[in-house]
Amino acid sequence: MAIWLKKAVSGDVRKEDDRKVRDAVEAILADIEQRGDEAVRAFSIRFDGWDRPDYRLSDSEIDQCIDSLDRQAIQDIEFAQKQVRNFAEEQRGAIRDIEVETVPGVVLGHKNIPVDAAGCYVPGGKYPLLASAHMSVITAKVAGVGRVVTCAPPFEGKPAPAIVAAQAMAGADEIYALGGVQAIGAMALGTQAIGSVNMLVGPGNAFVAEAKRQLYGRVGIDLFAGPTETMVIADETVDGEMCATDLLGQAEHGPDSPAIFITDSEKLARDTLSEVERLLEILPTRNIACQAWDRYGEVIVCEDHADMLRVADHYANEHVQVMTSDDEYFLRNMRNYGALFIGPRTNVAYGDKVIGTNHTLPTRKAARYTGGLWVGKFLKTCTYQKVLTDEASALMGEYCSRLCALEGFAGHGEQANVRVRRYGGRNIPYAGAAEPRGA
């Protein structure tokens, strides 16, 4: 049986926080829908202290941002984007259109059609998270999306040069210096200045995630990618410093970022707790990481690997770092996670920034029913059918006629019957059902 040495705040506290976020987002989106650009500008000034005549960056502004970075920074961005693009292209190659003759004269198929326009949100209020540009824009472009719009908030009172460079180098068609719910609302609903998109993707804080949730249906979304979550599963093959480092590496994202430690060793659990406290004294981002750890940090001691697996699958966490004597056991058997990071030589930061897998991943237990962002999210798998012979049309029509009669759908049945009459030469009474051949 699992034992909790440290628990997160109660579910009631989280529900109250969620309610406040939900109400605030609903009001903002309603205002944007009614007033368009005027509301977007008002919220940008209110939340980001950011105003300008046009939030879309000009080509000269984009060039200035790129030119402001040193050559090493550009090369590092290029390297990361190459990894993301390579993996996305491999994923795209694994998706194929099909066409098959299922019955003589009956051809069924499907095509994978990219959405026309996607809106990619790049978080950047606390930190200039340029990696989100690679993950969303490149993946959309590899999928074949024709128009890719991207928004990122200002950083320290101006567009973040590294984010803008990454957006442009990834191939974004429109780049806006706009953040938060106002950016999500503008892309989804459209304003006088910003054309609406068909799909929203990208991570964000609780307000951004809630805006995507409320807009789902009017536009498509990738998934519910809210505040970052991390989980470390470890045994005594690693030490407390490694575990604590990997927990705090994600806790620094925000004060509402859960960090969960699962182990089968009480000694390692207590060592990790001590290391967390030690590292929080020297971590430059400790003000944020400390809030996250205090409110949402958990330490769980399990009986064995099977018990660790059971608890981890229950949490269905976004990032899961596995460092045990049998890492492959978790890769084979774990079912609910956003992304796995197998062994001590890799870590969540590699996935976040450079290694090539996508870092936009499901949170808040959404990993029970979806994976993360990938090229397939931008594709609509659309089916089609062709009937090539009179005999095939009549055969399908006879079965369809009788099945429609079972359901009481006379109009549907007549769609079949008229073809049985014309292509099969049989006299089916109007709104009747085709008798089986030889009956």
Side-chain angles (χ1 to χ4, degrees):
M1 175 183 286
I3 300 171
W4 273 251
L5 299 187
K6 183 183 185 308
K7 286 190 174 182
V9 295
S10 71
D12 290 340
V13 173
R14 297 188 189 196
K15 287 179 182 177
E16 178 61 17
D17 290 344
D18 290 346
R19 184 193 64 77
K20 292 177 181 177
V21 170
R22 183 171 62 250
D23 293 347
V25 169
E26 186 175 8
I28 294 169
L29 292 177
D31 198 9
I32 291 173
E33 185 168 25
Q34 182 177 10
R35 296 195 296 139
D37 287 330
E38 184 182 355
V40 168
R41 175 163 283 103
F43 289 121
S44 181
I45 295 170
R46 175 180 168 186
F47 296 125
D48 291 327
W50 177 242
D51 186 24
R52 50 182 280 153
D54 185 356
Y55 288 101
R56 181 173 178 177
L57 299 185
S58 65
D59 289 344
S60 63
E61 289 177 304
I62 294 168
D63 290 340
Q64 288 172 14
C65 287
I66 296 172
D67 293 341
S68 72
L69 301 180
D70 62 42
R71 185 57 196 157
Q72 187 61 59
I74 295 295
Q75 289 176 345
D76 290 345
I77 293 171
E78 288 174 339
F79 179 85
Q81 293 194 344
K82 181 179 179 181
Q83 312 317 306
V84 174
R85 185 176 290 105
N86 286 348
F87 191 61
E89 287 174 347
E90 289 294 328
Q91 290 182 313
R92 183 63 184 90
I95 304 169
R96 64 186 183 94
D97 297 350
I98 63 170
E99 184 172 283
V100 59
E101 190 171 22
T102 56
V103 173
V106 174
V107 175
L108 308 181
H110 76 227
K111 296 178 65 178
N112 294 287
I113 303 171
V115 299
D116 292 331
C120 302
Y121 187 74
V122 180
K126 291 187 181 73
Y127 312 104
L129 300 180
L130 61 111
S132 289
H134 323 327
M135 305 297 174
S136 57
V137 177
I138 288 175
T139 309
K141 283 299 184 181
V142 169
V145 178
R147 173 176 169 250
V148 177
V149 179
T150 182
C151 287
F155 180 69
E156 298 180 345
K158 62 181 182 179
I163 287 181
V164 174
Q167 291 168 320
M169 292 163 64
D173 299 294
E174 301 169 27
I175 299 175
Y176 294 86
L178 191 63
V181 177
Q182 58 270 25
I184 298 296
M187 289 190 289
L189 301 171
T191 69
Q192 297 89 335
I194 302 175
S196 62
V197 298
N198 307 121
M199 185 174 186
L200 292 170
V201 304
N205 63 19
F207 291 89
V208 167
E210 175 61 19
K212 288 169 64 179
R213 189 193 69 80
Q214 292 189 21
L215 290 163
Y216 178 56
R218 298 187 65 159
V219 294
I221 66 170
D222 47 358
L223 44 96
F224 298 121
T228 291
E229 305 166 349
T230 199
M231 173 182 287
V232 174
I233 299 173
D235 59 22
E236 290 190 2
T237 58
V238 291
D239 58 35
E241 181 186 28
M242 180 81 82
C243 298
T245 298
D246 287 342
L247 290 166
L248 295 180
Q250 295 301 303
E252 72 177 0
H253 264 282
D256 50 0
S257 292
I260 301 166
F261 183 54
I262 299 176
T263 182
D264 59 357
S265 165
E266 183 172 347
K267 178 181 182 302
L268 180 61
R270 296 196 181 279
D271 287 348
T272 299
L273 280 167
S274 296
E275 284 296 310
V276 167
E277 296 305 315
R278 182 182 71 82
L279 292 174
L280 282 173
E281 292 297 318
I282 59 176
L283 183 68
T285 54
R286 61 184 173 274
N287 287 343
I288 293 174
C290 188
Q291 292 179 64
W293 180 249
D294 285 347
R295 286 172 60 84
Y296 296 108
E298 299 193 42
V299 176
I300 307 164
V301 179
C302 297
E303 293 180 1
D304 51 27
H305 285 182
D307 196 25
M308 293 158 73
L309 176 69
R310 179 187 61 79
V311 173
D313 264 338
H314 172 74
Y315 274 85
N317 212 264
E318 177 188 15
H319 303 106
V320 180
Q321 171 83 41
V322 180
M323 299 181 288
T324 69
S325 60
D326 190 3
D327 296 337
E328 292 297 318
Y329 169 79
F330 291 91
L331 179 59
R332 288 193 307 271
N333 294 290
M334 196 164 176
R335 299 182 59 83
N336 301 325
Y337 57 89
L340 281 180
F341 303 83
I342 304 296
R345 293 181 181 85
T346 189
N347 62 83
V348 177
Y350 285 5
D352 276 351
K353 310 302 179 187
V354 70
I355 209 164
T357 54
N358 206 291
H359 79 189
T360 303
L361 300 166
T363 64
R364 312 194 89 175
K365 291 198 170 186
R368 294 171 299 165
Y369 57 83
T370 186
L373 182 61
W374 70 300
V375 289
K377 292 282 188 179
F378 294 100
L379 299 173
K380 304 173 293 181
T381 302
C382 303
T383 60
Y384 63 88
Q385 58 176 265
K386 297 184 282 189
V387 179
L388 305 179
T389 66
D390 293 351
E391 293 79 8
S393 182
L395 174 67
M396 289 294 161
E398 290 170 9
Y399 280 98
C400 184
S401 173
R402 294 190 293 272
L403 291 168
C404 291
L406 283 174
E407 295 180 346
F409 268 132
H412 284 64
E414 271 306 300
Q415 289 181 269
N417 290 341
V418 70
R419 286 163 175 81
V420 175
R421 297 184 195 110
R422 296 191 180 193
Y423 300 125
R426 298 186 63 190
N427 186 20
I428 310 299
Y430 187 82
E435 293 291 335
R437 292 177 181 270

